[in-house]
């Protein structure tokens, strides 16, 4: 898969636009268009349903983006949330020092009288031992020595722009959960193990954003902090280690359940030097993105680091009373943390197919029906026939009460089908002359419509009154195969 193909589809079909495009665009911020917002809402809704509503051990939260600045001191973000960066002295571009070695570089080697070499990615010059010293962008400027750059966006609360009023846009949703730990404990009285989930925006001043929505400066996270008693044992193992493995399995299975191909997913165990300052162990779920295997989400064992830090900095107790052992403990935390935008990109890439149908290319997004931004498209075969248009309009209005349903009459039927395929609409309904009849010829309509299924392109003929029940089946737990057995086929 080529990323440009998805970027172009997203723009053309109203999924994702460059932010502030008419002003030349804002660096690495993206706007979700009419179909993009439906897809994104579906991802968040399914994640929330599966991970919060269906589980007896989970509750939700929606904390504010602007928090007390001490939160970020206590969490370690002020001191540790940095990337080493280098600047080009010539063109002033900025790069992450640890990414400079990711591509080959041009080198005029002093050890060979200035001969020009292309040095392979990640290697020093084999003649003089130098590492990349010139800008990868302009090729001329010397690079500065690495400096630590904090990724948090600063802002000011209140009318005065002074240091005392300074705070940050949150770089992760997690801290909103930790600082509310005691509020949730006191109000909901949950028993360990239990989790608190949150979906919301996060902001990072990334030095090298890119790869479309994969790494941007404003994005959304779906995070869970799952609190366990570190003194408990489950199936012979320490509770935190047991639950860490359980959550890794749950998270990977979630992507597969909504259609992601298993061979495009793998796990990456962080080596000791990769671990964040708070983590005992972290496993990433990686997706085979067009630029290579990259992190889709991470599942970390954050131990008791955050609760202890916040207790110490705020002076408030953040403990749980273990009734059995009659003691106060600080829970350990397992943190499944996923990016909504990254998940959306992976779902789109995974669903994209180019197929040949009767000598023509068909682009189709084979999105899981629960993810598809539009579930049903109602299409009139002839827009000049008022009865057809009226019936199609009524159908759209009825079905829209339960599912995202659109009406489109802006092209011929073949073109309309292709457009719906390209945005992943699982079902199209066509209203035709047979449906409404022809009063001029004294012919009554059969009040049946054609339903076309996206992936097989098979069509069946269904009485209009049966549509709501049929779609409840098709967009619920039913299958197309079961439904087609009950209705006559229509010619494609
Ligand atoms: N609370 C832990 C945490 O924030 P992270 O690995 O920095 O951990 C978690 O981020 C997830 O958030 C990532 O796996 C990714 O899906 C998403 N994410 C992080 N930075 C991002 C960015 N700049 N743009 C888009 N998504 C991002």
């Amino acid at each position: 898969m080529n990323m440009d193909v998805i970027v172009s589809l997203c723009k053309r079909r109203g999924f994702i636009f460059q932010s502030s495009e008419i002003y030349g665009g804002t660096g690495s911020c993206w706007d979700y268009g009419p179909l993009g917002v439906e897809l994104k809402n579906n991802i968040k809704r399914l994640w929330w349903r599966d991970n919060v509503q269906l589980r007896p051990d989970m509750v939700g939260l929606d904390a504010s983006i602007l928090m007390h600045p001490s939160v970020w001191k206590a969490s370690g973000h002020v001191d540790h949330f940095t990337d080493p960066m280098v600047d080009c002295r010539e063109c002033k571009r900025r790069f992450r020092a640890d990414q400079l070695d990711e591509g080959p570089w041009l080198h005029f080697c002093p050890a060979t009288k200035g001969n020009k070499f292309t040095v392979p990615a990640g290697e020093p010059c084999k003649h003089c031992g130098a590492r990349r010293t010139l800008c990868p962008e302009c090729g001329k400027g010397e690079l500065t020595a690495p400096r630590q750059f904090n990724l948090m966006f600063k802002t000011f609360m209140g009318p005065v722009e002074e240091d005392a009023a300074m705070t940050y846009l949150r770089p992760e949703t997690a801290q909103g959960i930790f600082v509310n730990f005691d509020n949730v404990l006191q109000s909901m009285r949950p028993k360990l193990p239990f989790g608190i989930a949150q979906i919301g925006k996060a902001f990072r001043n990334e030095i090298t954003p890119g790869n479309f929505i994969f790494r941007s400066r404003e994005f959304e996270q779906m995070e869970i902090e799952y609190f366990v008693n570190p003194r408990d044992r489950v199936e012979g193992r320490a509770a935190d280690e047991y639950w860490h493995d359980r959550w890794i399995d749950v998270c990977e299975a979630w992507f597969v359940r909504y259609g992601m191909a298993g061979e495009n997913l793998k796990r990456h165990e962080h080596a000791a030097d990769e671990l964040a300052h708070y983590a005992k162990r972290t496993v990433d779920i990686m997706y085979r993105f067009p630029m290579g295997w990259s992190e889709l989400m991470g599942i970390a064992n954050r131990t008791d680091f955050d609760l202890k830090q916040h207790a110490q900095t705020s002076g408030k107790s953040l403990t749980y009373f273990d009734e059995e052992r009659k003691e106060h403990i600080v829970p350990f935390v397992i943190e499944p943390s996923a990016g909504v935008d990254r998940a959306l990109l992976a779902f789109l890439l995974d669903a994209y197919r180019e197929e040949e149908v009767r000598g023509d290319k068909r682009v189709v997004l084979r999105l899981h029906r629960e993810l598809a931004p539009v579930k049903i498209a109602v299409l009139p075969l002839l827009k000049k026939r008022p009865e057809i248009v009226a019936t199609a309009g009524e159908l759209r209005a009825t079905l829209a009460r339960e599912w995202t349903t659109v009406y489109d009459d802006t092209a011929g039927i073949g073109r309309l089908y292709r457009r719906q395929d390209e945005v992943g609409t699982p079902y199209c309904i066509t209203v035709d002359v047979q449906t409404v009849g022809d009063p001029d010829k004294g012919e009554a309509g059969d009040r049946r419509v054609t339903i076309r299924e996206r992936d097989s392109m098979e069509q069946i003929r269904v009485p209009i009154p049966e549509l709501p029940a049929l779609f409840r089946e098709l967009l619920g737990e039913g299958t197309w195969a079961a439904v087609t057995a009950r209705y006559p086929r229509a010619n494609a």
Side-chain angles (χ1 to χ4, degrees):
M1 263 306 288
N2 181 337
M3 190 77 91
D4 292 343
V5 173
I6 285 292
V7 176
S8 146
L9 176 106
C10 282
K11 167 140 201 219
R12 201 172 64 249
R13 303 313 315 276
F15 281 91
I16 301 169
F17 310 123
Q18 170 80 71
S19 160
S20 316
E21 194 177 356
I22 59 167
Y23 288 102
T26 348
S28 227
C29 293
W30 301 93
D31 296 345
Y32 286 81
L35 295 189
V37 69
E38 295 291 342
L39 176 55
K40 199 181 193 200
N41 284 343
N42 288 344
I43 291 173
K44 292 191 281 185
R45 186 178 49 78
L46 293 173
W47 187 89
W48 194 262
R49 183 188 71 188
D50 297 342
N51 288 302
V52 183
Q53 293 169 331
L54 289 178
R55 293 185 60 125
D57 54 350
M58 291 287 304
V59 292
L61 183 81
D62 185 13
S64 65
I65 288 173
L66 296 174
M67 300 173 74
H68 195 288
S70 299
V71 168
W72 307 109
K73 187 70 191 153
S75 67
H77 283 80
V78 170
D79 297 323
H80 301 293
F81 197 55
T82 55
D83 271 345
M85 53 121 203
V86 295
D87 290 311
C88 169
R89 294 188 200 278
E90 196 77 27
C91 71
K92 310 293 176 211
R93 281 210 177 77
R94 187 163 274 190
F95 307 94
R96 261 175 65 177
D98 55 343
Q99 286 178 347
L100 276 179
D101 273 351
E102 285 178 3
W105 53 288
L106 262 191
H107 176 50
F108 297 89
C109 176
T112 61
K113 299 189 185 137
N115 279 349
K116 188 167 100 179
F117 295 102
T118 301
V119 184
E123 291 180 19
C125 169
K126 62 179 180 233
H127 303 288
C128 69
R131 293 224 159 242
R132 171 173 241 156
T133 52
L134 292 184
C135 172
E137 207 59 45
C138 72
K140 292 186 225 128
E142 285 281 332
L143 295 170
T144 61
R147 279 184 292 147
Q148 290 302 326
F149 171 77
N150 197 294
L151 301 186
M152 285 195 292
F153 281 100
K154 288 183 185 145
T155 189
F156 296 93
M157 292 254 225
V160 190
E161 285 196 14
E162 58 184 17
D163 281 356
M166 209 262 295
T167 187
Y168 305 93
L169 300 188
R170 67 179 178 203
E172 61 171 16
T173 59
Q175 297 304 324
I177 299 179
F178 293 125
V179 300
N180 277 296
F181 171 75
D182 199 51
N183 285 333
V184 174
L185 206 57
Q186 299 310 326
S187 55
M188 308 303 287
R189 302 268 157 204
K191 294 268 167 275
L192 286 179
F194 72 90
I196 306 177
Q198 174 164 221
I199 299 180
K201 290 259 182 180
F203 303 82
R204 295 182 189 179
N205 198 3
E206 300 279 3
I207 304 168
T208 47
N211 287 313
F212 194 31
I213 54 170
F214 177 83
R215 181 171 285 110
S216 52
R217 294 193 169 112
E218 175 178 340
F219 56 97
E220 265 185 285
Q221 289 187 314
M222 308 185 280
E223 294 200 297
I224 293 168
E225 305 304 329
Y226 195 77
F227 301 95
V228 302
N229 189 334
R231 300 203 44 198
D232 282 350
R233 296 192 72 77
V234 188
E235 293 180 8
R237 301 171 62 197
D240 62 315
E241 293 174 11
Y242 168 86
W243 280 106
H244 195 183
D245 280 331
R246 272 285 290 273
W247 274 108
I248 296 166
D249 291 343
V250 167
C251 292
E252 192 174 58
W254 190 81
F255 291 106
V256 175
R257 172 173 176 195
Y258 293 105
M260 228 174 253
E263 74 254 25
N264 288 335
L265 293 166
K266 73 173 184 184
R267 296 177 185 187
H268 166 70
E269 182 87 37
H270 280 217
D273 60 352
E274 271 179 279
L275 286 174
H277 60 276
Y278 50 73
K280 168 175 162 184
R281 179 186 171 218
T282 299
V283 171
D284 288 341
I285 295 182
M286 314 282 280
Y287 182 76
R288 198 199 301 262
F289 286 98
M291 64 281 187
W293 287 102
S294 311
E295 178 186 334
L296 178 59
M297 71 170 295
I299 303 108
N301 182 343
R302 288 180 85 125
T303 67
D304 53 7
F305 175 86
D306 300 270
L307 289 180
K308 276 192 170 156
Q309 285 292 112
H310 287 304
Q312 199 181 357
T313 311
S314 67
K316 302 276 172 358
S317 160
L318 295 177
T319 55
Y320 171 92
F321 187 67
D322 180 344
E323 300 277 357
E324 214 178 292
R325 298 183 183 91
K326 303 286 178 235
E327 62 180 8
H328 287 274
I329 57 120
V330 181
F332 267 36
V333 175
I334 305 302
E335 179 192 66
S337 172
V340 179
D341 313 77
R342 254 181 226 187
L344 186 144
L345 179 59
F347 279 124
L348 279 178
L349 288 160
D350 221 82
Y352 184 91
R353 305 276 190 293
E354 287 179 9
E355 300 171 353
E356 202 184 297
V357 178
R358 295 186 210 106
D360 283 335
K361 181 171 114 175
R362 164 173 107 124
V363 170
V364 57
L365 282 186
R366 289 180 179 251
L367 285 171
H368 187 281
R369 60 191 172 208
E370 293 210 68
L371 287 176
V374 175
K375 310 289 186 227
I376 305 164
V378 187
L379 315 171
L381 195 68
L382 295 172
K383 70 171 171 181
K384 286 193 195 119
R385 290 284 301 271
E387 316 87 273
I388 292 184
V389 171
T391 305
E394 281 162 26
L395 265 180
R396 190 214 66 84
T398 306
L399 299 172
R401 292 195 202 117
E402 286 182 72
W403 304 282
T404 321
T405 309
V406 297
Y407 168 89
D408 191 0
D409 64 7
T410 55
I413 192 70
R415 206 67 177 286
L416 293 179
Y417 281 152
R418 292 289 177 271
R419 275 193 208 156
Q420 295 302 328
D421 288 345
E422 218 185 358
V423 300
T425 307
Y427 301 105
C428 289
I429 296 177
T430 310
V431 183
D432 55 24
V433 181
Q434 226 183 311
T435 316
V436 296
D438 191 342
D440 292 346
K441 294 184 190 159
E443 288 169 9
D446 64 3
R447 304 304 290 167
R448 287 171 177 262
V449 289
T450 300
I451 300 181
R452 172 187 181 270
E453 196 265 341
R454 177 194 69 201
D455 296 345
S456 63
M457 292 183 289
E458 288 171 358
Q459 302 185 2
I460 53 172
R461 222 39 211 170
V462 177
I464 289 177
E466 292 178 27
L467 289 176
L470 187 72
F471 281 116
R472 259 170 237 138
E473 187 179 343
L474 283 173
L475 292 166
E477 300 300 314
T479 64
W480 178 249
V483 164
T484 50
R486 305 201 304 268
Y487 290 99
R489 295 290 171 115
N491 291 332

